């Protein structure tokens, strides 16, 4: 009777026929499970008697889990690794835990690793970080979402222990993995690293800037999107100039527009670190002591730096590779009808001269330029600035000179001094665009190539110029340059060299010159520590 098979009574009959009464006996499947549970308990009990290193490498994954749980407990109780046999043994097996072959055990292994790293020191991670990170990336970043979260936190803890280079290197390798899921997790971990710890303070920017451009052409849309988000985060910390050459200019037009739109929605240069390194937690550095409040009560234990001060953008020059441009000036432009640079500089056609200056400015517009013999370039610029009748050419030559100063720094000092007298004289130009480009270039000179005291003779000559606009604009440059002075000694030297000439301008007949002179005096006074420094 088929209808009786589905009744409880029928199932009870089949059950008793299969192997027993209902008074405590089990069907074979349950009996096998009981035997398996007994066997498992025996294995776990036997494993608990083994030395710690054998327990961490046990063939039974549940035995490893029990050992990993012991690490978490020990890490909460111990102040240092040396005081615990469990932690000492785990330290030698940590990379195995980070790459446990069992998915369930891997989660426990990463928990143990993260608890262990909370009490580890820099000496330990210097020796073991490479092996740990290789497995964290290969296994953890390719795992389940919660596993990826644990692996990401491992990277954060290693950053706390100042393993920035190792973490970035491992994540960059992972970002190139053929499995999109793993690559995506690594790119996202890099973005979180930059957001949490900042760059270049803890996370080294240079390898990221040089390494993620291929991701813009990834076949996986999520990987491309993560690379775009990482670029925006880098822009928040480093500014447009630092990411433009290496990243933005290597994107396709649509992605460029998206990044530009996203960058406009953030406050560049005002990024605030969310976590500090272990050393910084113990002794907050000056720039984070505006980190006066370290909120460790944010739910996830993160250190939140509370400050209203706006951090300055880091100098892209410090982590950029030098770009060589002198050889490019010798090459024929892609447009065969366009003359070579040196032919165009001496051309009778103003449009060709302008194109040459624009090309030079664009080539020089890099964070860092390779050193070389720029004497001919400086002489060509001087000729345009002092003798060219076309204001567009003059303005573009000034802009090119400023770009070269910014990219070459001290390497451009000699050339900057060659250009300075003619550029100061050109401040008399009636065209406001030319004057502004000239002022911008002069400021790059004083920031990167020489101090005002180094060129005092040229400045004093400009202050005595018969055309009022020259001393007025020169005084405005002095006032602006004074704000950029980094040391009191530099300011004091500039005061001794320039104040006599500046004070004379305070009594000038032209009101614009008088006003600019007062600004210059105030600027030099502030740079020197206050008005007492100039009162004498």
């Amino acid at each position: 009777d088929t209808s009786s098979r589905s009744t409880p009574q029928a199932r009870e009959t089949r059950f008793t026929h299969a192997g027993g009464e209902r008074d405590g006996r089990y069907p074979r499947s349950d009996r096998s499970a009981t035997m398996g549970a007994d066997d498992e308990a025996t294995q776990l009990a036997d494993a608990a008697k083994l030395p710690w290193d054998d327990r961490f490498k046990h063939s039974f994954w549940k035995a490893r889990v029990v050992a990993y749980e012991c690490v978490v407990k020990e890490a909460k109780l111990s102040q240092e690794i040396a005081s615990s046999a469990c932690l000492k043994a785990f330290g030698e097996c940590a990379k195995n835990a980070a790459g446990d072959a069992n998915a369930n055990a891997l989660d426990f292994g990463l928990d143990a690793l993260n608890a262990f790293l909370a009490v580890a020191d820099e000496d330990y991670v210097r020796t073991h970080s490479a092996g740990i990170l290789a497995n964290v990336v290969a296994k953890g970043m390719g795992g389940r979402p919660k596993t990826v979260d644990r692996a990401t936190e491992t990277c954060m803890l290693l950053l706390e222990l100042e393993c920035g280079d190792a973490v970035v290197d491992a994540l960059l390798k992972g970002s190139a993995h053929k499995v999109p899921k793993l690559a995506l997790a690594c790119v996202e971990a890099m973005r979180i690293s930059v957001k949490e710890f900042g760059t270049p303070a803890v996370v080294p920017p240079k390898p990221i800037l040089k390494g993620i451009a291929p991701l813009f052409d990834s076949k996986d849309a999520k990987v491309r999107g993560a690379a775009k988000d990482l670029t925006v985060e880098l822009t928040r910390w480093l500014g447009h100039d630092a990411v433009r050459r290496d990243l933005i200019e290597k994107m396709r037009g649509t992605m460029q527009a998206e990044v530009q739109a996203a960058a406009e929605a953030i406050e560049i240069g005002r990024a605030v670190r969310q976590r500090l390194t272990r050393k910084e937690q113990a002794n907050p550095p000056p720039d984070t002591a505006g980190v006066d409040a370290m909120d460790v009560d944010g739910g996830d234990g993160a250190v939140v730096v509370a400050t209203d001060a706006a951090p300055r953008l880091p100098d892209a020059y410090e982590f950029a590779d030098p770009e060589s441009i002198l050889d490019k000036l010798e090459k024929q432009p892609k447009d065969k009808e366009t003359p070579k640079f040196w032919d165009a500089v001496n051309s009778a056609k103003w449009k060709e001269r302008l194109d040459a200056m624009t090309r030079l400015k664009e080539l020089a517009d890099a964070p860092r330029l390779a050193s070389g013999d720029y004497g001919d370039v400086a002489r060509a610029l001087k000729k345009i600035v002092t003798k060219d009748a076309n204001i567009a050419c003059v303005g573009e030559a000034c802009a090119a000179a400023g770009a070269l100063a910014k990219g070459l720094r001290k390497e451009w000092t000699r050339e900057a001094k060659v250009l300075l007298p003619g550029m100061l004289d050109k401040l008399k130009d009636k065209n406001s665009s030319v004057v502004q480009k000239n002022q911008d270039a002069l400021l790059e000179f004083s920031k990167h190539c020489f101090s005002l005291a180094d060129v005092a003779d040229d400045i004093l000559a400009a202050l005595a110029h018969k055309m009022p606009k020259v001393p007025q604009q020169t005084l405005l440059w002095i006032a602006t340059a004074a704000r950029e002075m980094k040391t009191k000694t530099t300011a004091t030297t500039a005061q001794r060299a320039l104040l006599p000439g500046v004070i004379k301008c305070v009594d000038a007949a032209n009101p614009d010159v008088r006003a600019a002179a007062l600004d210059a005096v105030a600027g030099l006074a502030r740079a020197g520590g206050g008005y007492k420094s100039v009162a004498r």
Side-chain angles (χ1 to χ4, degrees), residues 341-390:
F341 174 78
W342 296 109
D343 294 333
V345 167
N346 297 305
S347 173
K349 299 178 179 178
W350 72 267
K351 187 68 169 64
E352 292 183 351
R353 298 195 304 276
L354 178 62
D355 288 344
M357 292 297 100
T358 300
R359 185 180 174 207
L360 175 60
K361 181 189 72 174
E362 291 173 350
L363 286 173
D365 188 21
R368 187 170 190 164
L369 298 175
S371 59
D373 185 359
Y374 287 85
D376 289 341
V377 174
R379 284 185 284 275
L381 289 172
K382 182 179 179 180
K383 179 181 177 182
I384 298 289
V385 169
T386 58
K387 296 182 179 179
D388 204 299
N390 186 278

Side-chain angles (χ1 to χ4, degrees), residues 293-307:
M294 287 193 286
D295 175 17
V296 192
D297 194 26
D300 59 355
V303 177
V304 180
V305 176
T307 177

Side-chain angles (χ1 to χ4, degrees), residues 39 94 103 110 139 178 262 272 293 325 337 376 397 401 425 448 470 521 525:
D39 182 54
L110 289 171
K139 290 288 187 178
K178 62 182 179 181
V272 178
I325 65 169
E337 296 183 0
D376 289 341
D425 182 73
H448 303 304
V470 174
V521 171

Side-chain angles (χ1 to χ4, degrees), residues 200-433:
V202 177
V203 180
K206 189 172 180 178
I208 302 178
L209 292 170
K210 300 298 178 185
I212 68 168
L215 300 177
F216 301 145
D217 296 319
S218 172
K219 295 179 180 178
D220 188 90
K222 290 183 178 179
V223 173
R224 294 196 303 273
K228 181 186 72 176
D229 293 342
L230 175 55
T231 302
V232 173
E233 190 63 37
L234 288 167
T235 303
R236 184 199 307 273
W237 287 91
L238 303 176
H240 289 290
D241 289 345
V243 301
R244 178 170 48 83
R245 282 285 181 110
D246 289 320
L247 299 180
I248 295 178
E249 290 182 359
K250 295 181 180 178
M251 296 175 175
R252 297 182 183 182
T254 303
M255 186 179 286
Q256 278 190 17
E258 291 173 351
V259 169
Q260 296 288 3
E264 290 173 2
I266 61 176
E267 290 187 283
I268 295 173
R270 294 185 62 88
V272 178
R273 293 173 57 186
Q274 303 299 307
R275 292 173 74 156
L276 303 178
T277 65
R278 205 72 58 81
K279 286 181 179 177
E280 289 171 338
Q281 291 173 28
N283 298 292
D287 60 334
T288 57
V291 167
D292 42 27
M294 287 193 286
D295 175 17
V296 192
D297 194 26
D300 59 355
V303 177
V304 180
V305 176
T307 177
D308 293 328
R312 297 179 60 150
L313 284 173
D315 189 353
Y317 180 90
E318 298 299 329
F319 46 83
D321 287 332
E323 291 189 32
S324 177
I325 65 169
L326 291 174
D327 55 334
K328 296 175 183 177
L329 294 177
E330 302 290 344
K331 294 180 179 179
Q332 175 68 46
K334 292 180 180 179
D335 182 359
K336 301 298 181 182
E337 296 183 0
T338 302
K340 291 183 178 180
F341 174 78
W342 296 109
D343 294 333
V345 167
N346 297 305
S347 173
K349 299 178 179 178
W350 72 267
K351 187 68 169 64
E352 292 183 351
R353 298 195 304 276
L354 178 62
D355 288 344
M357 292 297 100
T358 300
R359 185 180 174 207
L360 175 60
K361 181 189 72 174
E362 291 173 350
L363 286 173
D365 188 21
R368 187 170 190 164
L369 298 175
S371 59
D373 185 359
Y374 287 85
D376 289 341
V377 174
R379 284 185 284 275
L381 289 172
K382 182 179 179 180
K383 179 181 177 182
I384 298 289
V385 169
T386 58
K387 296 182 179 179
D388 204 299
N390 186 278
I391 57 173
C393 293
V394 174
E396 204 71 350
C398 290
L404 287 162
K406 188 176 181 180
L408 285 167
R409 308 290 168 100
K410 295 299 182 182
E411 297 283 342
W412 184 249
T413 297
R414 182 181 61 186
E415 289 77 7
K417 289 181 177 180
V418 168
L419 287 167
L420 182 62
M423 291 177 67
L424 289 173
D425 182 73
K426 207 65 179 179
L427 290 171
K428 66 189 179 187
D429 202 287
K430 296 179 182 179
N431 185 277
S432 59
S433 175

Side-chain angles (χ1 to χ4, degrees), residues 82-293:
S83 64
S84 168
C86 170
L87 296 181
K88 283 195 291 186
F90 182 79
E92 298 304 317
C93 307
K95 72 175 183 179
N96 297 329
D100 201 298
N102 183 280
N104 292 321
L106 177 59
D107 286 346
F108 286 93
L110 289 171
D111 285 341
L113 176 58
N114 292 343
F116 173 83
L117 289 175
V119 295
D121 58 21
E122 290 86 351
D123 290 336
Y124 172 82
V125 296
R126 260 195 297 272
T127 305
H128 296 85
S129 61
I132 290 172
L133 282 164
N135 283 343
V136 165
V137 169
K139 290 288 187 178
M141 292 299 180
R144 298 172 293 199
K146 292 296 183 182
T147 307
V148 173
D149 291 344
R150 290 177 168 94
T152 301
E153 179 58 19
T154 303
C155 294
M156 300 303 110
L157 289 166
L158 288 170
L159 287 171
E160 280 191 5
L161 292 167
E162 301 184 28
C163 282
D165 290 324
V167 169
V168 169
D169 181 62
L171 292 176
L172 279 173
K173 289 177 181 176
S175 71
H177 200 278
K178 62 182 179 181
V179 177
K181 175 183 174 182
L182 192 153
L184 175 62
C186 289
V187 179
E188 182 63 10
M190 277 190 279
R191 185 192 66 79
I192 294 172
S193 298
V194 173
K195 179 181 178 181
E196 295 285 306
F197 286 93
T199 184
V202 177
V203 180
K206 189 172 180 178
I208 302 178
L209 292 170
K210 300 298 178 185
I212 68 168
L215 300 177
F216 301 145
D217 296 319
S218 172
K219 295 179 180 178
D220 188 90
K222 290 183 178 179
V223 173
R224 294 196 303 273
K228 181 186 72 176
D229 293 342
L230 175 55
T231 302
V232 173
E233 190 63 37
L234 288 167
T235 303
R236 184 199 307 273
W237 287 91
L238 303 176
H240 289 290
D241 289 345
V243 301
R244 178 170 48 83
R245 282 285 181 110
D246 289 320
L247 299 180
I248 295 178
E249 290 182 359
K250 295 181 180 178
M251 296 175 175
R252 297 182 183 182
T254 303
M255 186 179 286
Q256 278 190 17
E258 291 173 351
V259 169
Q260 296 288 3
E264 290 173 2
I266 61 176
E267 290 187 283
I268 295 173
R270 294 185 62 88
V272 178
R273 293 173 57 186
Q274 303 299 307
R275 292 173 74 156
L276 303 178
T277 65
R278 205 72 58 81
K279 286 181 179 177
E280 289 171 338
Q281 291 173 28
N283 298 292
D287 60 334
T288 57
V291 167
D292 42 27

Side-chain angles (χ1 to χ4, degrees), residues 488 495 499 525-526 528-536:
K488 190 173 180 180
Q495 288 174 358
L499 270 177
R526 280 192 294 268
Y531 284 97
K532 288 184 179 180
S533 64
V534 298
R536 62 183 182 276

